[in-house]
Amino acid sequence: MEKEKIFMKDWLCVARVEEIEKPGDYMTFRIAGEPLIVVRNRAGELKALANVCAHRGVEVASGQGNVMRFSCPYHGWQYDLDGKLTGAAFMAESEVFQRDCSLPQVKLGVWAGWIFVNFDPAAEPLQDFISEVDREFGFVRQEDCRLAAKFDYELDCNWKLLVENFLDIYHVKVLHSKTFGKHARRAEDYPFNIQRRGGFSAFHASAPMNPDGRTLFRKRDILAEQPDDFAASCHLAPNFSMFVRSDNVFHLTTWPIAPNRSRFIAYFLFPKEFADDPQYAAKVQVYADFFKKSLLEDQDMVRSLQGAMGSRNFRPGPFSKLESAVYNSISHYLERMF
Ligand code: FES
Ligand SMILES: [Fe+2]
């Protein structure tokens, strides 16, 4: 049901444009089990193609890389970077074979340097889907940033427990008291702007994401008027969370693999010009390590939440006001599903 009602309907953020930069660059995904390729064609345009061979359905590409064409590993049918079939050996004798066929196209859009895909041919344009977020966060100019680090984890829990965890402010000053929680504003001052479709945004205060809470670079020019602990957060249903600090932006996307197994991907963006810093890689590593440490704290909690789902003694308790965004997200989910 989630696949049909959510993941095959919504715009989903799958990558940064700089991850698929040159003609022939491609990445593959399985989105709720649906195999997908995102590729940059010869003309430099991004395309999303179903990764299912028109012969018998094998995935024609795997992993990521750079290719001249896709060649199905099973019987060798060939496709160009637009997904058009260009070769199929020994098929001329077939009376029903159609040379004029392609890998099905999936909708693709770009917002602020992020690549979104949508499996629903009737979906609203990405610009409409993202308009609320764009209005509030367009000024962050993520198109002027570059991916500096990325991690990819799998966890034994339902994907929604991770999404809820990233929306949950109640735990920040408790669970994360030794990491970023110590740099956050008093939790009771946290402003929630509840948004349509289960989303939320907040403009709050939290220091740069490293152990000292002091930037290792500098405040971004676009935030010159803002305090050093400027922070903003946002969630775009179903699975995209964004956290802005005065010197960088980080993102999380969460993906179902099975009812009790999920994948999440963390992205770290820094303004392009910070890459001129001779210590760039080492400094980025400090942020990345700090963030990883915070994520590990969350990881044990969501595993334990998943365990509680199977406990005969667990009765769900009430939410606090600091879980408003979790409540909003679950309400929206229930409305869509049932
Ligand atoms: S399944 Fe791809 S060539 Fe046969
Ligand atoms: Fe957390």
Side-chain angles (χ1 to χ4, degrees):
M1 275 176 76
E2 286 178 348
K3 177 175 176 183
E4 289 315 317
K5 294 193 175 194
I6 298 175
F7 287 91
M8 294 298 110
K9 289 275 179 240
D10 281 0
W11 283 98
L12 303 166
C13 178
V14 294
R16 285 287 300 176
V17 288
E18 59 267 31
E19 293 184 277
I20 307 174
E21 200 157 39
K22 294 186 278 300
D25 282 356
Y26 76 92
M27 291 176 80
T28 59
F29 307 89
R30 284 194 197 125
I31 296 177
E34 251 344 282
L36 183 78
I37 308 174
V38 177
V39 59
R40 202 176 280 276
N41 70 10
R42 290 280 148 242
E45 302 151 342
L46 288 163
K47 297 274 170 187
L49 307 168
N51 193 6
V52 283
C53 182
H55 180 220
R56 285 172 58 195
V58 160
E59 287 165 290
V60 301
S62 57
Q64 66 183 93
N66 184 281
V67 288
M68 296 294 287
R69 68 188 71 78
F70 296 111
S71 177
C72 180
Y74 203 6
H75 314 98
W77 284 25
Q78 310 269 314
Y79 301 87
D80 69 16
L81 299 181
D82 292 298
K84 199 178 155 4
L85 185 73
T86 55
F90 301 109
M91 293 306 295
E93 290 81 4
S94 161
E95 286 167 17
V96 292
F97 170 65
Q98 289 178 335
R99 181 162 297 281
D100 187 20
C101 71
S102 294
L103 301 173
Q105 289 237 9
V106 173
K107 285 184 124 168
L108 180 145
V110 172
W111 173 75
W114 293 100
I115 300 171
F116 285 76
V117 296
N118 194 312
F119 286 90
D120 179 5
E124 63 181 327
L126 174 64
Q127 275 62 31
D128 295 347
F129 180 83
I130 200 121
S131 58
E132 208 174 12
V133 174
D134 184 51
R135 230 179 355 262
E136 282 195 306
F137 290 88
F139 79 98
V140 175
R141 304 236 14 116
Q142 296 176 73
E143 53 276 42
D144 299 339
C145 295
R146 211 179 153 80
L147 184 61
K150 178 179 172 183
F151 344 107
D152 202 324
Y153 290 100
E154 284 192 17
L155 262 181
D156 287 324
C157 71
N158 186 275
W159 68 281
K160 297 186 292 300
L161 295 178
L162 280 164
V163 169
E164 290 166 18
N165 173 72
F166 301 140
L167 290 170
D168 172 354
I169 309 305
Y170 197 20
H171 80 276
V172 169
K173 283 220 159 269
V174 181
L175 179 69
H176 301 302
S177 62
K178 293 193 178 62
T179 54
F180 73 95
K182 69 181 177 205
H183 305 315
R185 182 205 288 243
R186 293 189 315 147
E188 45 279 40
D189 298 340
Y190 196 90
F192 287 97
N193 307 314
I194 293 302
Q195 298 194 336
R196 68 184 178 126
R197 303 185 58 266
F200 98 103
S201 69
F203 290 84
H204 53 107
S206 199
M209 249 322 196
N210 64 51
D212 292 336
R214 267 195 297 272
T215 183
L216 302 182
F217 296 96
R218 59 184 177 273
K219 201 194 304 182
R220 293 185 62 192
D221 298 341
I222 51 154
L223 299 173
E225 309 289 299
Q226 302 289 345
D228 291 348
D229 63 353
F230 171 83
S233 304
C234 134
H235 175 69
L236 178 67
N239 67 342
F240 182 70
S241 296
M242 178 166 95
F243 306 90
V244 182
R245 294 290 187 269
S246 62
D247 57 352
N248 90 322
V249 185
F250 56 104
H251 283 255
L252 297 161
T253 56
T254 308
W255 304 95
I257 295 175
N260 58 0
R261 191 149 176 92
S262 312
R263 174 179 183 200
F264 73 92
I265 306 174
Y267 300 83
F268 261 75
L269 305 187
F270 284 89
K272 281 177 184 159
E273 63 274 13
F274 286 10
D276 300 338
D277 187 321
Q279 303 294 316
Y280 182 67
K283 289 181 178 181
V284 165
Q285 196 60 44
V286 174
Y287 285 74
D289 289 346
F290 184 69
F291 185 63
K292 250 186 211 169
K293 207 168 147 193
S294 328
L295 283 175
L296 286 175
E297 294 167 340
D298 287 320
Q299 186 168 307
D300 292 339
M301 297 301 110
V302 289
R303 278 211 204 96
S304 188
L305 285 174
Q306 181 72 36
M309 300 297 144
S311 159
R312 68 186 61 212
N313 286 316
F314 173 61
R315 307 268 180 284
F319 280 129
S320 79
K321 69 170 186 177
L322 296 177
E323 291 157 297
S324 314
V326 184
Y327 171 78
N328 180 49
S329 160
I330 293 177
S331 304
H332 171 74
Y333 170 86
L334 292 174
E335 236 167 68
R336 284 189 88 177
M337 292 291 287
F338 307 105

